[in-house]
C-alpha cells in the first residue's frame, strides 16, 4: 500500500494495479502453500490435492494472513516456511513479489538474527513476518487502515518471544519518527505510483543505516515507471545491483546500499 502526496480526508492511497493473469499468486515449493486468513483457516496438511478449484473461499472482508511455524528456520529452499499457505481475500493478495522476496531470502540464507529490520508498504506483512520468524527485530509498516490486518497476521504467526511490531508510516511525512539505523529495509510491490517515488526515496535514505541494505522486489511494469525508478532515480543515491530476475513473473529483486557510508 502506497501513500500519495498531500493530505486529504479521502484515503491517500491507490490500490495496486489491477491484477492480470500473470500477476496471480502462484504456489511455490512444489506444492500448495496457501497463506491462511484469520477467518478461513484450515489446519496444515488437510485439503491437499484439492487444487485451485478446491480452495475454501475466503469470507468477505477477511484479511490475508499467515499461519506458520513456531519460530524455527526449517524452511526448504524455494518455499515459504513450512506450514504456510496463501488464501487471497478481495482486498489484498500475497503477491508474486512478496513470495519471490521470501524465497530469495531463504535460498540465499540471508541472516536476520539480531538484525534491525523494517518492512515498507507491508500489505499482508508476510515478508516482515518471515524476517521475524528467522530472528530479526522487525518493524512492519503501512498506512493506518492496513494495520489491523497486519497485526492480526503477526499475532497468528509470530510466537511469544518473537520481535515484530506493527506501526503506521506515511512516506515523506513521518519517516523521521523512525530511527535511521536499520540494518535491512524491505519492500515488495511498492514501486508502481510515480508521484510517490520521491517520497519513497527520501524514506529509504532516512531509514537505511550507514551500513544497511535495502531489498526491493518489484514487477517491472513499464506503464507505471517502475523501470525508471530503478534505472535512474535510485542509482543517484544508492549503489544498486540486480540480485535476482524472475522471467516468468517479470519480477526483479534489487539490493541497494548507500554510495558512501553515512556517519553513524
Amino acid at each position: 500500500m502506497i501513500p500519495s502526496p498531500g493530505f486529504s480526508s479521502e484515503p491517500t492511497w491507490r490500490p495496486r494495479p489491477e491484477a492480470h493473469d500473470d500477476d496471480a499468486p502462484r504456489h511455490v515449493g512444489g506444492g500448495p502453500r496457501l497463506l491462511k486468513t484469520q477467518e478461513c483457516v484450515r489446519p496444515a496438511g488437510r485439503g491437499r490435492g484439492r487444487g485451485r478449484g478446491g480452495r475454501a473461499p475466503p469470507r468477505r472482508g477477511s484479511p490475508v494472513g499467515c499461519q506458520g511455524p513456531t519460530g524455527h528456520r526449517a524452511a526448504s529452499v524455494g518455499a515459504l516456511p513450512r506450514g504456510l499457505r496463501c488464501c487471497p481475500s478481495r482486498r489484498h493478495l500475497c503477491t508474486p513479489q512478496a513470495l519471490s522476496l521470501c524465497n530469495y531470502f531463504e535460498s540465499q540464507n540471508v541472516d536476520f538474527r539480531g538484525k534491525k529490520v523494517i518492512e515498507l508498504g507491508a500489505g499482508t506483512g508476510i515478508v516482515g513476518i518471515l524476517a521475524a520468524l528467522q530472528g530479526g527485530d522487525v518493524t512492519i509498516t503501512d498506512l493506518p487502515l492496513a494495520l489491523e490486518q497486519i497485526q492480526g497476521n503477526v499475532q497468528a504467526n509470530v510466537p511469544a518471544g518473537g520481535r515484530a511490531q506493527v506501526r503506521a508510516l506515511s512516506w515523506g511525512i513521518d519517516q523521521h519518527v523512525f530511527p535511521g539505523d536499520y540494518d535491512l529495509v524491505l519492500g515488495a510491490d511498492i514501486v508502481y505510483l510515480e508521484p510517490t517515488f520521491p517520497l519513497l526515496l527520501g524514506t529509504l535514505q532516512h531509514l537505511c543505516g550507514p551500513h544497511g541494505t535495502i531489498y526491493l522486489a518489484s514487477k517491472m511494469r513499464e506503464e507505471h515507471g517502475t523501470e525508471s525508478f530503478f534505472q535512474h532515480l535510485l542509482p543517484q543515491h544508492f549503489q544498486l545491483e540486480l540480485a535476482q530476475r524472475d522471467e516468468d513473473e517479470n519480477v526483479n529483486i534489487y539490493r541497494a546500499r548507500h554510495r558512501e557510508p553515512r556517519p553513524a
Side-chain angles (χ1 to χ4, degrees):
M1 188 176 297
I2 291 184
S4 299
F7 296 89
S8 170
S9 59
E10 298 298 318
T12 59
W13 59 278
R14 214 180 275 181
R16 287 183 171 87
E18 182 178 356
H20 301 285
D21 288 343
D22 62 346
D23 288 331
R26 301 192 182 188
H27 300 316
V28 293
R33 292 183 175 273
L34 303 175
L35 278 179
K36 299 175 185 176
T37 68
Q38 295 163 14
E39 296 183 15
C40 174
V41 176
R42 296 188 301 277
R46 295 186 185 177
R48 294 186 179 180
R50 300 165 88 182
R52 290 180 182 270
R55 296 181 191 172
R59 299 179 184 179
R60 169 172 278 181
S62 61
V64 173
C66 324
Q67 184 69 40
T70 55
H72 55 73
R73 290 177 58 94
S76 59
V77 172
L80 293 174
R82 186 174 302 169
L84 290 182
R85 302 194 219 173
C86 282
C87 186
S89 75
R90 296 185 179 184
R91 292 183 300 167
H92 290 282
L93 292 173
C94 183
T95 63
Q97 295 90 315
L99 297 178
S100 292
L101 195 53
C102 288
N103 290 339
Y104 172 81
F105 290 149
E106 293 178 345
S107 67
Q108 299 299 312
N109 294 317
V110 174
D111 188 3
F112 290 98
R113 291 172 297 179
K115 299 292 179 62
K116 191 171 182 178
V117 183
I118 188 167
E119 182 185 4
L120 304 180
T124 65
I126 178 180
V127 177
I129 288 170
L130 176 65
L133 290 174
Q134 296 191 348
D137 180 0
V138 183
T139 301
I140 303 174
T141 71
D142 208 320
L143 293 180
L145 72 164
L147 299 188
E148 181 179 358
Q149 166 180 285
I150 298 171
Q151 187 63 57
N153 296 340
V154 169
Q155 292 173 352
N157 287 274
V158 180
R163 305 186 69 178
Q165 60 174 318
V166 179
R167 296 180 60 184
L169 194 166
S170 296
W171 308 342
I173 298 174
D174 58 6
Q175 69 267 23
H176 293 287
V177 176
F178 294 77
D181 61 349
Y182 286 96
D183 299 306
L184 295 166
V185 182
L186 315 178
D189 196 24
I190 62 174
V191 182
Y192 59 79
L193 192 59
E194 286 193 71
T196 69
F197 289 176
L199 307 179
L200 174 58
L201 179 61
T203 301
L204 293 173
Q205 287 177 290
H206 171 71
L207 295 174
C208 185
H211 302 284
T213 302
I214 299 167
Y215 287 98
L216 299 175
S218 291
K219 197 170 189 70
M220 303 308 292
R221 306 179 180 97
E222 293 183 11
E223 67 272 22
H224 296 294
T226 305
E227 187 171 331
S228 176
F229 177 84
F230 287 107
Q231 288 192 356
H232 304 295
L233 188 57
L234 201 59
Q236 293 179 26
H237 303 276
F238 292 93
Q239 293 180 339
L240 186 69
E241 59 180 316
L242 179 63
Q244 178 175 288
R245 165 75 180 161
D246 185 335
E247 291 288 349
D248 292 336
E249 296 286 3
N250 190 27
V251 170
N252 287 357
I253 296 177
Y254 291 94
R255 180 170 49 239
R257 297 183 176 92
H258 286 288
R259 285 196 168 277
E260 296 181 0
R262 291 172 45 198

